[in-house]
């Protein structure tokens, strides 16, 4: 490029001054560039057609002359520009270079340095985001959900917690943050804040144990597993119904024969034995094939299973040892054990989505319920004391002490009003009216908390908020 420019300038000088230039002679690059520009306007139409090409040639000559310092003599500006180039800020290296992101027609602009703060994400990794680069428009084009990206872009810029916009469904937003590959801890924190339940699947390493474990724990995996779950639910419901029906007076002595000997052919005893046998087999099989024995007993549902079968065996061995069913039936300790059988109702939580939602809702609402209990206890003490002193000395008053007024206060605040204890004096009735109004307001404290948690858990458990990626 430099040699062609030099030859052009040499020829033009030879024609004008009649002097020949030698190869070792230094020429002024600025004059060379001006001569090259003048030549582009000579030669008529043919020269004009090459105007762009010749102008580029002249600019290249000028740039090369500046970079080599050839214009320093008699021209001070190029040396200054060289110093400026040497001290020029490198935006690519420092990350201050701007980048434009087009998300389904909506443009976002930021600096590369902000994206590089999140190197494991889709936009923070140069190799990952390169697949979306559009060279013709000099932008990154991503055809994804725009409102969801606004929240993700805000997190990338300012950090902090990831917040889902109210107009974006939780399953759509979760799909988007998985697409942009946000940090794992950020996603887990978002899932916890939205009420998603982390379900860590732990399976046995033994192939045979794994198949049996899947049959008893995951009904959706096969038809046989679904049949086992259905059989367990039917057995549980039958046992609960039996527990209630056997208390009817007509069935009070069917378990005994005429001589007080136990009747082992009693239908209630037979059905209860069958149900307990199934619960025992189910518990022991699951315990044998479980992946972790310690984690097995830490699970509340397994403790319920074990607690539900203990009363039957204690009662059975007591009847066998005494051969008297009446004493076993009337024993206070055994009666308490029979009440424990009612915990079988919690076995249904394993197969009922609705009961699981209720349990999760109350667990998540503990703080709100604690606030409600504190407010309830304070109001209880205040109104109990007030009604006692207001009714003190009033003829016909049924409130004899402050502890006795606790019952009246709690019944009035919950708007039940049995009517067994009522104020008789005018001041007592006024306090009773205020107590009822304050009770209604106190009961309203946990309602929005419980409702919000229930809606979140219900949407996730029923699949409307469940990620299926």
């Amino acid at each position: 490029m430099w040699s062609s420019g030099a030859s052009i300038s040499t020829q033009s000088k030879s024609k004008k001054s009649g002097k020949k230039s030698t190869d070792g002679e230094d020429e002024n690059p600025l004059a060379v560039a001006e001569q090259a520009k003048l030549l582009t306007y000579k030669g008529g139409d043919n020269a004009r057609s090459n105007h762009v090409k010749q102008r580029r040639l002249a600019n290249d000559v000028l740039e090369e002359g500046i970079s080599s310092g050839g214009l320093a003599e008699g021209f001070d500006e190029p040396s200054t520009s060289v110093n400026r180039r040497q001290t020029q800020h490198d935006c690519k290296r420092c990350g201050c270079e701007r980048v434009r992101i087009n998300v389904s027609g909506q443009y976002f602009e930021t600096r590369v340095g902000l994206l590089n703060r999140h190197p494991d994400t889709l936009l923070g990794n140069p190799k990952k985001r390169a697949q979306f680069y559009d060279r013709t428009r000099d932008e990154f084009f991503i055809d994804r959900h725009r409102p969801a990206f606004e929240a993700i872009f805000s997190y990338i810029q300012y950090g902090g917690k990831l917040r889902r916009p109210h107009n974006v469904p939780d399953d759509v937003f979760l799909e988007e943050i998985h697409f942009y590959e946000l940090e794992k801890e950020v996603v887990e924190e978002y899932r916890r804040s939205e009420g998603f339940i982390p379900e860590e699947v732990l399976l046995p390493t033994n192939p045979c144990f794994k198949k049996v474990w899947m049959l008893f724990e995951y009904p959706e995996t096969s038809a046989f597993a679904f049949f086992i779950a259905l059989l367990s639910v039917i057995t549980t419901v039958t046992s609960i119904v039996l527990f209630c029906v056997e208390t009817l007076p007509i069935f009070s002595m069917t378990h005994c024969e005429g001589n007080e000997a136990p009747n082992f052919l009693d239908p209630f005893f037979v059905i209860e034995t069958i149900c307990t046998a199934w619960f025992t087999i189910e518990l022991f099989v699951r315990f044998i094939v479980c992946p972790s024995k310690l984690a097995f007993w830490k699970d509340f549902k397994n403790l319920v299973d074990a607690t539900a079968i203990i009363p039957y065996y204690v009662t059975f061995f007591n009847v066998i040892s005494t051969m008297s069913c009446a004493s076993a039936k009337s024993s206070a300790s055994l009666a308490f054990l029979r009440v424990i059988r009612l915990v079988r109702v919690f076995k249904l939580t394993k197969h009922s989505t609705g009961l699981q939602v209720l349990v999760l809702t109350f667990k998540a609402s503990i703080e709100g319920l604690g606030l409600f209990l504190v407010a309830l206890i304070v109001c209880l003490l205040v109104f109990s004391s007030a009604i006692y002193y207001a009714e003190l000395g009033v003829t016909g008053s049924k409130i004899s002490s402050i502890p006795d007024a606790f019952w009246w206060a709690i019944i009035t605040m919950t708007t039940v009003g049995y009517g067994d204890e009522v104020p008789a004096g005018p001041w007592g009735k006024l306090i009773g009216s205020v107590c009822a109004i304050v009770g209604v307001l106190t009961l309203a404290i946990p309602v929005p908390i419980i409702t919000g948690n229930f809606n979140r858990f219900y949407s996730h458990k029923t699949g409307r908020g469940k990620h299926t990626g």
Side-chain angles (χ1 to χ4, degrees):
M1 187 71 71
W2 171 258
S3 60
S4 61
S7 62
I8 294 173
S9 61
T10 303
Q11 293 176 6
S12 61
K13 283 187 175 182
S14 300
K15 289 181 181 181
K16 286 186 176 182
S17 60
K19 296 180 181 181
K20 293 184 180 180
S21 61
T22 60
D23 294 339
E25 183 180 356
D26 294 333
E27 296 191 11
N28 193 334
L30 183 60
V32 173
E34 292 298 330
Q35 291 295 333
K37 290 180 181 179
L38 289 174
L39 289 177
T40 57
Y41 296 98
K42 296 180 180 181
D45 295 336
N46 294 331
R48 292 180 184 275
S49 63
N50 296 328
H51 170 65
V52 177
K53 185 182 297 184
Q54 294 294 334
R55 189 174 183 83
R56 288 178 180 175
L57 174 63
N59 290 335
D60 291 340
V61 171
L62 184 60
E63 288 289 336
E64 189 170 353
I66 292 174
S67 62
S68 61
L71 297 181
E73 182 180 355
F75 196 78
D76 297 334
E77 184 62 22
S79 61
T80 306
S81 64
V82 171
N83 294 332
R84 288 179 180 176
R85 284 192 177 191
Q86 292 175 352
T87 59
Q88 188 177 11
H89 182 64
D90 190 356
C91 284
K92 278 191 175 182
R93 182 172 58 84
C94 296
C96 60
E97 182 183 5
R98 289 191 299 179
V99 60
R100 187 170 60 176
I101 305 172
N102 181 359
V103 181
S104 298
Q106 186 173 358
Y107 288 91
F108 301 85
E109 192 166 336
T110 185
R111 298 189 182 277
V112 177
L114 290 176
L115 299 180
N116 293 339
R117 294 179 182 177
H118 308 271
D120 297 330
T121 62
L122 178 68
L123 295 177
N125 191 314
K127 293 183 179 179
K128 292 181 180 179
R129 68 173 179 254
Q131 57 183 317
F132 301 100
Y133 182 67
D134 186 358
R135 295 184 179 274
T136 59
R137 296 179 178 270
D138 190 24
E139 66 183 21
F140 293 93
F141 177 75
I142 304 176
D143 190 13
R144 302 293 297 189
H145 198 268
R146 287 181 294 179
F149 183 76
E150 291 180 1
I152 296 173
F153 186 71
S154 177
Y155 161 75
I156 292 175
Q157 281 189 311
Y158 306 109
K161 293 184 178 181
L162 186 64
R163 299 296 185 186
R164 176 179 63 88
H166 295 290
N167 59 336
V168 180
D170 48 6
D171 55 338
V172 173
F173 191 71
L174 187 61
E175 181 72 28
E176 291 300 306
I177 63 179
H178 277 284
F179 172 78
Y180 290 105
E181 302 179 16
L182 297 187
E183 292 86 349
K184 184 178 180 181
E185 57 274 11
V186 175
V187 177
E188 290 300 324
E189 184 179 4
Y190 163 75
R191 290 174 65 90
R192 285 193 299 269
S193 65
E194 287 291 323
F196 286 90
I197 306 302
E199 297 180 357
E200 184 179 357
V201 179
L202 187 61
L203 299 177
T205 55
N206 189 301
C208 296
F209 285 3
K210 181 180 178 180
K211 290 182 180 179
V212 177
W213 180 256
M214 296 288 285
L215 288 177
F216 282 91
E217 289 293 322
Y218 302 99
E220 67 278 4
T221 55
S222 64
F224 189 55
F226 177 78
F227 172 76
I228 292 178
L230 182 62
L231 180 61
S232 180
V233 171
I234 293 175
T235 307
T236 303
V237 173
T238 303
S239 176
I240 295 172
V241 172
L242 190 69
F243 173 80
C244 299
V245 172
E246 69 177 359
T247 59
L248 293 174
I250 190 174
F251 302 119
S252 60
M253 294 302 294
T254 56
H255 60 287
C256 293
E257 296 179 351
N259 56 357
E260 295 293 325
N263 182 14
F264 293 107
L265 298 179
D266 178 35
F268 292 99
F269 176 77
V270 174
I271 297 175
E272 180 67 17
T273 302
I274 295 174
C275 293
T276 305
W278 167 254
F279 295 146
T280 304
I281 295 172
E282 181 186 23
L283 179 64
F284 275 94
V285 170
R286 291 174 57 247
F287 175 72
I288 292 173
V289 302
C290 70
S292 175
K293 302 298 187 290
L294 182 61
F296 181 85
W297 291 116
K298 286 184 178 180
D299 192 348
F300 174 75
K301 296 188 292 294
N302 298 327
L303 294 178
V304 169
D305 293 344
T307 307
I309 64 175
I310 290 176
Y312 172 85
Y313 289 107
V314 173
T315 305
F316 178 75
F317 287 118
N318 182 71
V319 171
I320 292 296
S321 61
T322 61
M323 292 303 293
S324 174
C325 61
S327 61
K329 193 84 171 182
S330 60
S331 174
S333 59
L334 294 181
F336 174 73
L337 288 176
R338 286 196 299 272
V339 173
I340 294 180
R341 286 163 50 193
L342 194 59
V343 299
R344 290 175 182 175
V345 70
F346 293 105
K347 287 175 62 68
L348 297 176
T349 59
K350 181 180 177 180
H351 308 286
S352 174
T353 302
L355 291 177
Q356 292 177 10
V357 169
L358 287 178
V359 173
L360 294 173
T361 299
F362 283 110
K363 287 177 63 177
S365 307
I366 288 179
E367 293 184 2
L369 294 176
L371 175 63
F372 164 71
L373 289 177
V374 170
L376 184 65
I377 291 174
V378 170
C379 294
L380 188 68
L381 293 173
V382 170
F383 287 109
S384 298
S385 304
I387 196 67
Y388 169 72
Y389 288 107
E391 291 291 300
L392 187 64
V394 177
T395 305
S397 176
K398 298 181 180 180
I399 300 175
S400 58
S401 64
I402 292 179
D404 184 47
F406 287 166
W407 171 252
W408 169 86
I410 193 67
I411 293 302
T412 304
M413 291 184 66
T414 55
T415 67
V416 175
Y418 286 124
D420 53 343
E421 292 185 2
V422 293
W427 291 108
K429 292 179 180 180
L430 178 61
I431 294 174
S433 302
V434 177
C435 180
I437 295 174
V438 172
V440 172
L441 298 177
T442 305
L443 290 174
I445 292 176
V447 171
I449 301 174
I450 296 176
T451 302
N453 290 329
F454 178 83
N455 290 335
R456 288 193 295 115
F457 287 117
Y458 183 77
S459 64
H460 299 154
K461 278 291 184 180
T462 54
R464 292 190 294 111
K466 189 177 293 184
H467 174 62
T468 57

